[in-house]
Amino acid sequence: MGLYNNYYFFCKSIPLSGIFIHLNLYNIMKRTIKTIFLALCYSAVTNGQTSTPIHLPAIFSDHMVLQQKSTVSIWGWGEASTTVKLVGSWMPNDTISTSVDDCGRWRTKIPTCGHGGPYTLQIFTDNRKENKIILKDILLGEVWLCSGQSNMEWSPNNGIHNRQEEIDNANHPHIRFFSLSKQGSKSPQEDCYAQWEQCTPEIMQKRSAIAYFFGKRLQQKLNVPIGLIVSAWGGTPAEVWTPKDTVINNKVIAEAVINKPYPWWPVTPGVLYNSMIHPLMPYDIAGAIWYQGESNVGKEKTYVERLRIMAELWRKEWGKGELPFYLVEIAPYDYGEGISGALLREAQFQASSLIPNSGMVCTNDLVYAYEKSQIHPCQKEEVGKRLAYLALNKT
């Protein structure tokens, strides 16, 4: 506007006979500046300053493990109506293309070969050369979900035999952890808080001990990379890991949910499924191991149905009807409910028999005499090994 005003005062200073000529010049100049301004705005948009860059959920990052010999799902967000392309260095001559939908989401699948790595994965668009993501140090191997409550969550720092020796020797670059932060949500989430980490002594001592020993034995026997997705929260009942609608619409389960709130963990149906399971789907996995049940002692009559419904729903959402599902028997601890602990263990066994492609490892013999009053037995290594042998035998 300063330029217009200066020119206006200049016009006032000229003879009246030339005023119309200069007013025409003023209007031409005004239109020209407006055209230049709009062109600059358009240039800014087309140069990507206001466009949506490609971005990915946390599950896709450097150091990740993808399921080998499969067709794995990859998804994320970007500019609506653009084309996203993917190239994995394990198959450099194959380019996978997909379109970003009208909500800015995209999802596709990419084939993986046999185990190996490290590889890279390039994700980019045609409309902007600089709009590219390159994920590095990717391994192809076996990926397992490790879920449940405190016995699955607890790290070696909470007590295992030969603790320091195990920690000092935990340099396993082909074992990777993706450990979700403990956070609930009232609605299904599309992302979570976690990152892929190589197994080092520093990382191992902070992560799930059972997941570590499970992965370590699989890696030793199969000689392939192992990805361990750890989604666990101590004290939580099974219903928080199942969608709320599935729980409340099942009369048997709905009448037996825990109504007493706790300050240390959630008990509301579905809240951990929403934030610690749903964001992982449908990341391709080989199977799931499950160590939970202590918080459902006293509700053993409905536990079989709870576990069956949960496993069935997980399989449906992951698109794998026979996804392996292996569980751990709870410790022979005095839960203060008479024989309810034994009845819950019986329910676990019944569930493992009822759920297809399932199984259970026993822990009754893994508790030392001085641990009879311990709900968290120390022999996490043996539990992890037994789960690994079960997986090796059946999967």
Side-chain angles (χ1 to χ4, degrees), residues 259-272:
N259 293 316
K260 176 185 176 182
Y262 291 85
W264 309 282
W265 55 76
V267 296
T268 304
V271 293
L272 296 192

Side-chain angles (χ1 to χ4, degrees), residues 20 23 39 73 83 105 163 223 247 256 326 333 349-350 354 369:
F20 294 109
L23 283 176
S73 294
T83 298
R105 298 183 179 92
R163 171 184 169 276
N223 194 28
V247 174
Y326 303 131
Y333 166 77
F349 178 74
Q350 291 174 351
L354 178 66

Side-chain angles (χ1 to χ4, degrees), residues 127-145:
N127 64 325
R128 286 177 60 205
K129 292 182 179 179
E130 70 274 17
N131 195 0
K132 176 186 289 188
I133 295 173
I134 301 178
L135 302 181
K136 302 175 183 178
D137 189 30
I138 298 171
L139 301 180
L140 304 184
E142 295 294 311
V143 184
W144 284 79
L145 173 68

